[in-house]
Amino acid sequence: MVVKLQRPILVGGLGLSFSLWMLDSWQDSIVQVGEFGLLSALAVGGGLWLLQQNRPKASVEQLDIMLVERADVENAIAKAEAVINQLAQESEQHPALGNLRTQVNQLLLDLDRQELKLAVTGGKSVGKTTLIEVLKSSWQSEIKQKVSFQETAPLFIQAGNKSDTDVLAEVKTSDFLLFLTNGDLTDSEFQTLQQLKAANQPVLLVFNKQDQYLPDERASILLSLKQRTQGNLVATAASPIPIKVRKHEADGAVQEWLEQPAADIQSLTQQLGEILAQQAQKLVWTTTIRTANLLKAEAKTWLNDIRRDRATPAIEQYQWIAAAAAFANPVPALDVLATAAINAQMVMDLGNIYQQKFSLEQAQTVAGTMGSLMLKLGLVELSTKAVSTVLKSNAVTFVAGGVVQGVSAAYLTRVAGLSLVEYFQQQEIALDSGNNLNLEKLRQTLQNVFQQNQQMAFLQGFVKQGVKRLLPEVAVEKAVG
């Protein structure tokens, strides 16, 4: 397990104590220790202790992801294929079908893929290219696994053809990701690491160019990185700063030149080697299941677009039927929404579109449940006030008996229909769960849809459209001009 160093004072104290114990044990062999020598010994002892604690322990537990089994991947692929088949059933000539099916076939092949995909990402000038070159030349030949390398475009820069979202979408197809930083994490870097963790992407944070810092600065950065990420971390110097070498000749002449130190990536290669040796196949499966879930989501988006195109005219039809009924026989808007057969029939029709089968009794229950939720959330009162406010400036329409009730009924029916669409789109494809509503999720959906349809410009247009349907043409011309 990783030791989390969350108390710097305690850590420093332990390091100094360890240093003093070392000095005490060496007192017989030390002849003279001046002030500078003592402080140096303390600094070295404490610094070594800190660096030792911050050194990454090569353990798969540090990956902090959920590794999967083959059966999990096969199940995910089957679910993705089921959504694609449903799309084909509802839209035989859909242009995305060919590509989706090709991707499914590739997922089945990827189950037994032997080559590991290693991606390297990070901001600008953190050493991505150099690190890949060093890994290819000094590490790739030492391991048994076949590894391909991918360098992403730089993150966190405003200019460029690829956004951070595009780059992150690319790395999610890799089996393992090296995330490079050349200092303490910025907020952008930290947020990106959190996104990758949430996507179950295996990531190793690499503090590169560590040689550009003094030892105490380096230890401080390592400690901060460890505390903030609570995960996998190594420090490297893929291209160390050249060292000036001075040679004194016997004749007193002095020669100077720069030598390039060897790359310091031993901690990285050791940890990578152990992780890949232990979990290569499961890393591939984890990538495959992540890709399968993304494919399923893509297919579901296409399917939901088709279903929404079919649902929208149905909602509009029922909202104006409800408006006409309320205008002809004005009753409180809630009664129209909760009890009218109009709304129950709308629930059944939308359920059929989204493969959520309802009986008439279940549809009436759903309509009544949504009416109760609207009342408790205050949506009925708010909608009536909003419609009345828009109509008040027009005397002809405002005095017309059932206009407020009619337009309000249409508006609430619309909100109910759109809420059901949003709710159904969140459900698994082709599940018969009509009689098992999640009331909390439905409540949240109602609130969100109501807020989205509360903009004044939309309300004015909706009221104008409603008035045109409910009042004679002459009255409309005088009212809304």
Side-chain angles (χ1 to χ4, degrees):
M1 297 299 292
V2 181
V3 178
K4 298 178 182 178
L5 304 178
Q6 297 179 339
R7 295 178 175 84
I9 295 176
L10 176 59
V11 170
L14 290 172
L16 291 175
S17 298
F18 179 73
S19 302
L20 289 172
W21 173 81
M22 290 175 63
L23 286 173
D24 184 61
S25 66
W26 295 342
Q27 60 183 348
D28 294 336
S29 61
I30 297 177
V31 179
Q32 289 182 342
V33 178
E35 180 181 7
F36 177 78
L38 175 61
L39 292 176
S40 298
L42 289 172
V44 171
L48 287 174
W49 190 90
L50 278 171
L51 288 173
Q52 181 65 25
Q53 297 306 307
N54 281 280
R55 232 166 128 190
K57 298 179 178 61
S59 169
V60 179
E61 294 177 1
Q62 287 182 298
L63 291 179
D64 199 23
I65 63 166
M66 182 181 65
L67 295 175
V68 299
E69 301 295 335
R70 185 185 181 97
D72 300 322
V73 187
E74 292 173 343
N75 185 46
I77 294 175
K79 287 183 177 180
E81 194 168 16
V83 179
I84 295 171
N85 291 337
Q86 187 66 38
L87 175 63
Q89 182 178 332
E90 297 187 24
S91 179
E92 295 181 4
Q93 304 301 320
H94 197 282
L97 280 173
N99 183 47
L100 292 173
R101 283 174 169 153
T102 298
Q103 291 184 66
V104 166
N105 293 333
Q106 184 59 52
L107 287 174
L108 294 171
L109 295 175
D110 283 346
L111 280 171
D112 299 310
R113 173 166 54 85
Q114 298 300 310
E115 183 179 75
L116 291 169
K117 301 176 183 178
L118 179 65
V120 181
T121 192
K124 188 177 180 180
S125 302
V126 292
K128 297 185 292 294
T129 303
T130 303
L131 181 59
I132 289 177
E133 291 174 352
V134 174
L135 287 173
K136 285 182 176 179
S137 63
S138 64
W139 174 70
Q140 191 171 16
S141 60
E142 299 177 358
I143 59 174
K144 296 180 180 180
Q145 289 82 15
K146 186 178 180 181
V147 178
S148 64
F149 294 87
Q150 172 197 2
E151 178 184 349
T152 73
L155 293 168
F156 320 121
I157 57 175
Q158 299 299 323
N161 296 326
K162 289 187 177 181
S163 66
D164 288 356
T165 302
D166 294 332
V167 174
L168 293 180
E170 288 181 8
V171 302
K172 287 177 182 177
T173 63
S174 66
D175 303 311
F176 202 84
L177 175 65
L178 300 181
F179 189 103
L180 270 61
T181 182
N182 56 4
D184 203 356
L185 291 178
T186 64
D187 288 340
S188 297
E189 289 175 322
F190 180 77
Q191 293 300 327
T192 300
L193 283 170
Q194 294 298 100
Q195 292 176 31
L196 292 168
K197 180 179 178 181
N200 203 37
Q201 172 69 53
V203 180
L204 174 60
L205 178 62
V206 180
F207 171 33
N208 195 30
K209 301 187 179 182
Q210 62 164 338
D211 60 305
Q212 297 183 6
Y213 295 88
L214 295 173
D216 57 339
E217 294 176 322
R218 191 184 313 161
S220 176
I221 292 173
L222 278 168
L223 181 60
S224 176
L225 291 173
K226 202 72 168 181
Q227 290 176 328
R228 292 191 68 186
T229 61
Q230 298 183 1
N232 221 5
L233 169 68
V234 294
T236 62
S239 180
I241 297 174
I243 299 175
K244 181 182 288 187
V245 178
R246 180 179 297 169
K247 182 179 180 181
H248 295 268
E249 300 291 351
D251 60 358
V254 178
Q255 295 184 12
E256 291 185 349
W257 66 90
L258 294 177
E259 285 190 357
Q260 180 67 49
D264 180 10
I265 61 168
Q266 182 179 357
S267 295
L268 171 60
T269 55
Q270 178 183 351
Q271 186 160 346
L272 270 180
E274 293 188 12
I275 289 173
L276 299 187
Q278 296 174 34
Q279 300 291 347
Q281 188 60 71
K282 288 192 175 182
L283 288 173
V284 170
W285 289 343
T286 301
T287 302
T288 307
I289 197 172
R290 191 167 56 245
T291 307
N293 290 334
L294 290 173
L295 180 61
K296 174 187 170 185
E298 180 186 353
K300 189 174 180 181
T301 298
W302 287 116
L303 183 58
N304 282 336
D305 287 345
I306 292 173
R307 290 174 169 181
R308 196 177 188 98
D309 288 343
R310 292 164 55 196
T312 299
I315 293 172
E316 292 177 350
Q317 177 186 10
Y318 284 112
Q319 74 188 22
W320 299 128
I321 293 175
F327 177 71
N329 183 26
V331 294
L334 177 61
D335 291 344
V336 173
L337 185 66
T339 63
I342 296 169
N343 296 281
Q345 188 61 51
M346 181 183 69
V347 170
M348 292 184 67
D349 288 355
L350 294 179
N352 287 333
I353 291 174
Y354 284 91
Q355 302 295 309
Q356 306 283 312
K357 304 299 183 181
F358 294 95
S359 66
L360 177 58
E361 183 180 356
Q362 289 172 340
Q364 291 173 336
T365 301
V366 172
T369 299
M370 296 190 73
S372 299
L373 284 173
M374 285 186 168
L375 180 62
K376 292 177 181 177
L377 293 171
L379 304 188
V380 175
E381 183 179 358
L382 288 173
S383 65
T384 303
K385 287 182 178 179
V387 171
S388 298
T389 299
V390 175
L391 289 173
K392 272 184 179 180
S393 58
N394 303 295
V396 175
T397 59
F398 188 67
V399 298
V403 172
V404 173
Q405 289 90 338
V407 176
S408 295
Y411 179 77
L412 289 172
T413 300
R414 177 181 180 81
V415 169
L418 293 177
S419 298
L420 281 172
V421 167
E422 292 291 335
Y423 178 84
F424 290 152
Q425 288 185 165
Q426 298 171 23
Q427 307 306 303
E428 288 293 329
I429 298 298
L431 290 182
D432 185 8
S433 57
N435 58 351
N436 189 27
L437 289 178
N438 184 325
L439 293 182
E440 177 58 25
K441 184 178 290 186
L442 186 59
R443 183 188 68 81
Q444 293 175 354
T445 305
L446 274 170
Q447 284 182 306
N448 294 337
V449 171
F450 184 78
Q451 291 172 0
Q452 293 166 8
N453 288 270
Q454 273 288 288
Q455 291 86 356
M456 185 53 67
F458 170 78
L459 281 172
Q460 289 175 337
F462 188 83
V463 170
K464 182 177 180 179
Q465 190 177 5
V467 169
K468 283 183 177 181
R469 288 176 174 270
L470 297 176
L471 292 180
E473 197 66 31
V474 175
V476 172
E477 291 177 1
K478 293 180 179 180
V480 296

